[in-house]
Amino acid sequence: MLILKIAFRNIFRQKRRSVLTALTMAGGFTLAAISIGWSDGSYNFIIDMFTRNRLGHIQIHKNGYRDRPSLYKTIPNYRQVGEKIAGVKGVEGWTPRLFAAALASVGEKTSGVQITGIDPVHENQCTRFDKKIVQGKPFQFNPNKDVIMGKGLAKILRARIGDEVVIVTQGADGSIANDIYRLVGIVETGDKMLDRTVLYMHLRDAQDLLVLPDQVHEIAVIVHHLKQVPELAKQITKVLNNPELEVAPWQVFAHSFYQAMKADQEGMWIMLFVILLVVAVGVLNTVLMSVLERQREYGLLKAIGTQPNQIVLLVLNEVNFLALGSILVGALLGTAVNYLLSHQGITLPQAFTYGGMEFKTMYTEVNARSLYLPAITILLSAWIVSFFPALKAARTDPAKAMRIH
Amino acid sequence: MKNSEIVIKTENVTKIYSDNGIPVHALRGVDLTIHKGEFTAIVGPSGSGKTTLLNIISGLDMPTEGRVWLNNKLISEMSGKELSDFRRDHIGFIFQAYNLIPVLTVEENVEYIMLLQGVPKEERHKRVVEILKEVGLEGFEHRFPTQLSGGQQQRVAIARAMVANPSLILADEPTANLDSQTGSALLDKMRELNERTGMTFVFSTHDQMIMERAKRLVVLKDGHIEKDLWKE
Ligand SMILES: Nc1ncnc2c1ncn2[C@@H]1O[C@H](COP(=O)(O)OP(=O)(O)O)[C@@H](O)[C@H]1O
Ligand SMILES: [Mg+2]
């Protein structure tokens, strides 16, 4: 229709003004797209670091363990439990853990440690434990009285690969348990606090030491998609069907972390609102100017039989064309930058720690939200401010407008 | 001529504008009847009420008092949309200036009304070509208004006014922005079209040379008809 043609060609009448408006919109879009990509990217990155790396997406404990951990609150027959979990669709893996406080000595040095008994096969599959070993080698398949320490702990104990490590603790039967182990590896978990206390052991060695045969304190579950965690937690609860066990998604077992992440995401909405305002002012200026300049044209169009609603469409579509063009440019630019930064990452000038984790490089994300949220923002602000000028144009009195010379 | 159909009839048309609260009597009881096929000039000095009268005849403006019939329809009884459609289908406008949409080509400007009317594409194109030939602008279809002279632009305006076969063509000082030679030529063209097609033309002017080309002169003075002269 000719109305659309007029709307489209009108864009090119005041090139400088249109370019400025388009730049505002495209710039706003790009900024919004990158911010959302960054926000979502770092959100998922931090959560992944937090969960996939060590804690797991979902944790299973004996009831009450999370609130008051105790040596005695264990999951019996953990393998059966694990196999049931593995059968749930969407679950990537599960890994059992046994925890206990102990004293560890290397030569003259002694320190309090947290024994963490792990199954090397499951732990590697779920949290890539072997990749975190910075010195030495991983556990063997069978228990061999080997231990792996956090880097900080090794420093405190002045321990070196191959050193003997004497461990003293209390067994579940009430006996004093002690034994000698060999340090085979040093790990960096990403959590410096943890690295100062953690001492990993083969699960069966830990079960023997603590006299907890076939029992674990925790089963951590890794799922394929972060988004599915709440749903899968429900399914696992159903499958286990055991009122003695508690199934907690990361949002629950890392509650304060979850709250912090949510607060972080709210910043995004504020930013979108600011972009909406900036775009609105830019578009309002342009639309008002053109509507004032073109009164005689609207008068002429009405005189020769154009309906007021067609004039509204004329004004709105001019803004629409400009907005769509800008969105296209912004989408290309925003996606390109997001794509680049999702691969290259942004190396922060100063690493920051979040919940004990250190972050040096952040990654953006290319997702639908980073495109449709800015698009909605831009279109909405353009429409809101164009609507009243468009109505004004539609109300042009042709008799008056044609008298302006 | 007086025996043919009546296109316009006004009865005691009065228009009082308000200029910051001060009433301005632009028209004081105008009775005018225009028949089909007329070529009539509304003449009078600036401020005598020519534009006001033409605007009221076309329904662009409403009289303060009095009644107007267009094709025997009382315009005060039409709704906004009816009036707008009526203008589109029955009246062709030619203004003094700024007649054309600057971003549309000659062809698009001329076909605009037919598009509003929903005339099919083939038919539109055919009529555009025909009418441009009539006004002597063959081959100018794809030019934009800025690429035309003032006289050519007014001829495009005539083409647009005539293309939908309206009952009446209203031209408010169509030659005021043209030099006298171009203006006279434009009027000759209008008169030729009037004679060949029988279309009704009412135009206003204060130019002696232009009014001489009319078949009927309606002389306005201070908002009333001072003289109504038939030539021939
Ligand atoms: N919108 C208006 N408000 C107030 N006065 C007006 C308005 N339009 C026209 N007039 C006055 O009405 C009178 C007739 O004007 P007009 O019809 O334009 O005359 P003409 O076209 O013959 O020059 C003039 O005195 C003019 O100043
Ligand atoms: Mg006038």
Side-chain angles (χ1 to χ4, degrees):
Chain A
M1 180 58 191
L2 270 181
I3 291 280
L4 288 181
K5 246 186 214 170
I6 301 176
F8 184 72
R9 291 182 192 164
N10 273 346
I11 293 173
F12 303 96
R13 289 169 77 174
Q14 297 285 340
K15 286 203 188 70
R16 186 199 300 257
R17 202 157 69 200
S18 295
V19 164
L20 277 176
T21 315
L23 279 180
T24 311
M25 290 198 268
F29 187 102
T30 310
L31 210 68
I34 295 172
S35 310
I36 294 169
W38 162 269
S39 174
D40 287 355
S42 48
Y43 179 78
N44 288 333
F45 183 65
I46 291 175
I47 292 170
D48 235 40
M49 282 290 277
F50 225 77
T51 53
R52 185 177 282 273
N53 213 27
R54 186 163 57 84
L55 298 175
H57 294 128
I58 297 168
Q59 291 183 352
I60 291 124
H61 300 98
K62 172 104 176 211
N63 274 339
Y65 182 88
R66 272 203 313 117
D67 295 330
R68 303 192 71 204
S70 143
L71 192 60
Y72 308 101
K73 293 176 186 165
T74 57
I75 307 170
N77 292 323
Y78 76 91
R79 267 196 212 87
Q80 284 176 351
V81 176
E83 247 121 63
K84 279 188 193 165
I85 295 168
V88 174
K89 208 171 158 238
V91 168
E92 194 179 306
W94 62 280
T95 180
R97 289 148 182 186
L98 193 61
F99 301 108
L103 280 176
S105 309
V106 175
E108 303 278 279
K109 296 275 174 190
T110 299
S111 181
V113 298
Q114 192 196 22
I115 294 173
T116 304
I118 56 170
D119 177 324
V121 175
H122 281 276
E123 199 64 43
N124 286 347
Q125 188 213 339
C126 287
T127 65
R128 298 175 216 107
F129 180 75
D130 49 345
K131 294 270 166 23
K132 291 180 234 170
I133 294 171
V134 291
Q135 220 186 314
K137 54 183 184 13
F139 287 120
Q140 291 174 15
F141 182 74
N142 286 311
N144 197 30
K145 295 220 172 163
D146 292 337
V147 293
I148 293 175
M149 282 182 191
K151 196 178 179 183
L153 179 63
K155 210 167 163 192
I156 291 166
L157 292 173
R158 304 243 175 88
R160 289 208 228 130
I161 303 292
D163 283 354
E164 280 189 349
V165 184
V166 179
I167 291 171
V168 184
T169 185
Q170 195 187 16
D173 58 354
S175 65
I176 297 291
N178 58 356
D179 215 334
I180 299 172
Y181 298 83
R182 188 161 305 278
L183 180 64
V184 296
I186 291 171
V187 286
E188 268 187 276
T189 59
D191 181 343
K192 295 225 152 135
M193 294 243 286
L194 184 74
D195 285 353
R196 279 200 285 272
T197 58
V198 75
L199 184 136
Y200 289 99
M201 231 180 235
H202 195 291
L203 181 62
R204 256 187 286 152
D205 277 342
Q207 285 169 338
D208 287 348
L209 178 70
L210 299 165
V211 201
L212 288 170
D214 221 18
Q215 296 163 55
V216 297
H217 289 118
E218 175 178 293
I219 292 175
V221 180
I222 298 289
V223 303
H224 285 293
H225 300 292
L226 196 57
K227 276 192 190 114
Q228 292 185 327
V229 167
E231 173 56 29
L232 287 176
K234 276 185 210 147
Q235 281 190 38
I236 289 170
T237 311
K238 212 190 268 170
V239 167
L240 294 182
N241 189 26
N242 185 346
E244 296 274 285
L245 298 182
E246 182 210 44
V247 178
W250 69 269
Q251 289 94 332
V252 172
F253 68 71
H255 186 69
S256 55
F257 168 72
Y258 175 61
Q259 290 299 328
M261 292 311 291
K262 253 181 32 185
D264 219 47
Q265 288 264 298
E266 264 149 36
M268 185 192 79
W269 295 105
I270 297 171
M271 185 219 43
L272 281 180
F273 185 71
V274 170
I275 288 173
L276 187 127
L277 283 185
V278 170
V279 169
V281 169
V283 175
L284 180 65
N285 179 52
T286 302
V287 176
L288 274 183
M289 299 243 277
S290 357
V291 165
L292 285 179
E293 279 170 6
R294 295 175 194 159
Q295 277 190 74
R296 200 162 28 221
E297 270 162 56
Y298 301 132
L300 171 70
L301 288 174
K302 279 189 80 177
I304 63 178
T306 311
Q307 298 293 336
N309 60 350
Q310 291 173 304
I311 306 276
V312 170
L313 283 182
L314 172 61
V315 177
L316 289 187
N317 275 321
E318 187 177 336
V319 175
N320 274 343
F321 282 131
L322 208 55
L324 289 178
S326 310
I327 284 172
L328 206 71
V329 172
L332 287 176
L333 224 71
T335 306
V337 172
N338 274 344
Y339 183 78
L340 203 77
L341 294 182
S342 72
H343 283 74
Q344 305 263 8
I346 304 168
T347 304
L348 303 172
Q350 210 178 357
F352 75 97
T353 42
Y354 202 116
M357 303 272 214
E358 192 176 72
F359 295 96
K360 291 191 199 89
T361 308
M362 300 294 276
Y363 296 88
T364 58
E365 194 177 293
V366 183
N367 58 18
R369 227 158 78 107
S370 69
L371 295 178
Y372 73 73
L373 281 181
I376 291 171
T377 307
I378 301 287
L379 283 176
L380 209 67
S381 53
W383 286 338
I384 290 170
V385 296
S386 312
F387 189 68
F388 288 99
L391 271 193
K392 183 181 158 52
R395 294 225 181 98
T396 305
D397 176 354
K400 276 207 190 98
M402 296 307 289
R403 275 182 193 270
I404 306 167
H405 288 303
Chain B
M1 172 128 344
K2 277 189 174 176
N3 301 324
S4 65
E5 276 174 58
I6 293 175
V7 180
I8 303 164
K9 186 172 156 62
T10 77
E11 190 182 272
N12 188 34
V13 162
T14 303
K15 180 71 183 182
I16 306 171
Y17 290 111
S18 162
D19 187 6
N20 291 319
I22 304 156
V24 180
H25 290 258
L27 294 176
R28 307 164 187 263
V30 173
D31 295 309
L32 180 68
T33 305
I34 309 264
H35 292 83
K36 191 170 176 346
E38 279 191 28
F39 194 72
T40 298
I42 313 277
V43 302
S46 184
S48 57
K50 303 182 294 294
T51 297
T52 305
L53 180 59
L54 290 183
N55 283 348
I56 286 175
I57 285 172
S58 62
L60 284 183
D61 211 346
M62 285 295 160
T64 313
E65 235 182 86
R67 292 191 287 182
V68 180
W69 289 266
L70 263 171
N71 284 357
N72 296 316
K73 285 192 83 170
L74 197 57
I75 63 170
S76 58
E77 282 175 354
M78 291 193 221
S79 71
K81 166 127 178 50
E82 261 182 292
L83 201 57
S84 166
D85 287 349
F86 190 89
R87 274 203 302 273
R88 180 193 70 194
D89 297 337
H90 298 286
I91 300 175
F93 284 97
I94 304 162
F95 296 100
Q96 178 178 330
Y98 308 106
N99 265 296
L100 306 177
I101 301 299
V103 294
L104 296 184
T105 61
V106 166
E107 168 156 15
E108 288 162 345
N109 265 289
V110 174
E111 76 175 330
Y112 184 86
I113 292 169
M114 291 190 287
L115 254 160
L116 292 181
Q117 289 173 327
V119 176
K121 191 176 158 74
E122 308 277 289
E123 172 76 6
R124 287 201 308 266
H125 183 71
K126 199 182 112 220
R127 271 155 73 178
V128 168
V129 169
E130 267 171 25
I131 200 81
L132 286 180
K133 196 170 165 196
E134 293 266 24
V135 298
L137 285 175
E138 287 172 273
F140 285 69
E141 288 91 338
H142 300 300
R143 297 240 191 145
F144 283 93
T146 48
Q147 298 168 318
L148 301 176
S149 70
Q152 288 171 329
Q153 288 181 22
Q154 288 305 75
R155 277 191 276 158
V156 177
I158 294 174
R160 184 195 56 205
M162 290 182 64
V163 76
N165 252 315
S167 334
L168 172 68
I169 289 178
L170 291 177
D172 190 8
E173 307 214 33
T175 60
N177 281 21
L178 305 177
D179 61 72
S180 61
Q181 213 180 338
T182 316
S184 306
L186 191 81
L187 247 290
D188 288 341
K189 178 53 86 182
M190 279 166 59
R191 178 149 180 172
E192 176 202 322
L193 290 167
N194 161 260
E195 268 158 18
R196 209 171 57 240
T197 64
M199 210 172 272
T200 317
F201 281 79
V202 177
F203 60 96
S204 71
T205 183
H206 59 258
D207 182 331
Q208 196 66 39
M209 284 244 295
I210 298 298
M211 61 184 83
E212 272 166 15
R213 287 170 160 78
K215 296 180 188 165
R216 177 187 174 191
L217 280 181
V218 175
V219 182
L220 271 187
K221 201 187 162 195
D222 292 335
H224 65 264
I225 296 176
E226 193 187 48
K227 271 185 268 176
D228 192 347
L229 307 168
W230 289 85
K231 302 210 253 170
E232 300 158 283

